[in-house]
């Protein structure tokens, strides 16, 4: 299959903490800043042996459409100076965290309760891996994706103990 240069092969979601900024060719006009919603694998070139080289580019929202820098340059050749940067710390929202407790443990698509997922914390400070049933579930909603952790009583991270007290 011959994939055209500039084609997007796939897109992975980005966190809410990235933006892309660019100019419209006019030094007096303010730069345009758009939220990055994903990271796109884009075909850069075709080699003589038939293989394609790729790069990762930001996929961002601009004028109610999703663009990569290459695509936008094709539609407006005056746009220059693409820069990917982290959003200002003040505008980054922390994920919504839900902490739940279930004394019999949690199951996901199986009949036995999940083991603790905090074993890497134990290994870092020299303790043996936890073999108990996970009774705490921590769900962090990052907007475009969720992260889920299961913890034993002894291993619930300190940052989740305060929400756990309210559960």
């Amino acid at each position: 299959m011959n994939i055209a240069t500039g084609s997007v092969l796939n897109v992975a979601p980005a966190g809410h903490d990235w933006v892309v900024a660019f100019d419209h060719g006019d030094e007096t006009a303010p730069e345009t800043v758009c939220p990055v919603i994903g990271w796109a694998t884009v075909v850069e070139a075709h080699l003589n042996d038939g293989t394609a080289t790729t790069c990762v580019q930001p996929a961002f929202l601009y004028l109610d459409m999703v663009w990569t820098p290459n695509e936008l340059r094709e539609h407006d050749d005056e746009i220059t100076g693409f820069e990917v940067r982290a959003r200002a710390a003040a505008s980054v929202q922390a994920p919504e965290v839900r902490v739940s407790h279930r004394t019999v443990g949690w199951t996901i698509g199986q009949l036995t309760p999940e083991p603790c997922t905090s074993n890497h914390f134990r290994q870092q400070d020299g303790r043996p891996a936890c073999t108990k049933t996970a009774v705490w579930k921590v769900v962090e909603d990052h907007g475009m994706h969720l992260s889920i952790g299961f913890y034993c009583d002894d291993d619930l991270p300190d940052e989740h103990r305060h929400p756990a007290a309210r559960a």
Side-chain angles (χ1 to χ4, degrees):
M1 182 162 95
N2 192 8
I3 300 172
T5 302
S7 295
V8 174
L9 300 178
N10 59 32
V11 178
H16 60 275
D17 49 351
W18 294 99
V19 295
V20 65
F22 54 89
D23 298 315
H24 291 273
D26 181 1
E27 292 181 14
T28 61
E31 70 180 0
T32 301
V33 179
C34 302
V36 173
I37 62 162
W39 301 105
T41 305
V42 179
V43 176
E44 262 187 333
H46 289 281
L47 304 178
N48 290 337
D49 65 359
T51 58
T53 60
T54 60
C55 65
V56 175
Q57 294 185 1
F60 56 93
L61 287 175
Y62 175 62
L63 299 176
D64 294 330
M65 291 182 62
V66 178
W67 301 88
T68 64
N70 285 359
E71 291 172 327
L72 192 54
R73 278 191 201 106
E74 284 181 17
H75 287 83
D76 188 345
D77 59 358
E78 292 184 6
I79 292 180
T80 61
F82 281 95
E83 180 184 6
V84 177
R85 57 186 178 223
R87 270 187 216 244
S91 66
V92 175
Q93 296 176 341
E96 177 188 336
V97 178
R98 294 184 299 274
V99 180
S100 305
H101 185 261
R102 187 168 185 235
T103 56
V104 295
W106 300 89
T107 60
I108 296 181
Q110 56 190 23
L111 299 177
T112 57
E114 290 292 315
C116 293
T117 57
S118 56
N119 290 337
H120 64 282
F121 295 116
R122 290 178 156 270
Q123 292 169 352
Q124 287 173 350
D125 59 11
R127 295 182 291 158
C130 179
T131 58
K132 298 178 184 175
T133 299
V135 294
W136 291 102
K137 178 173 72 172
V138 177
V139 179
E140 294 179 303
D141 185 350
H142 298 269
M144 296 202 53
H145 71 279
L146 297 174
S147 60
I148 303 173
F150 297 95
Y151 301 93
C152 301
D153 278 323
D154 297 339
D155 291 337
L156 184 65
D158 289 339
E159 65 266 22
H160 299 309
R161 290 192 185 279
H162 180 68
R166 292 180 285 179

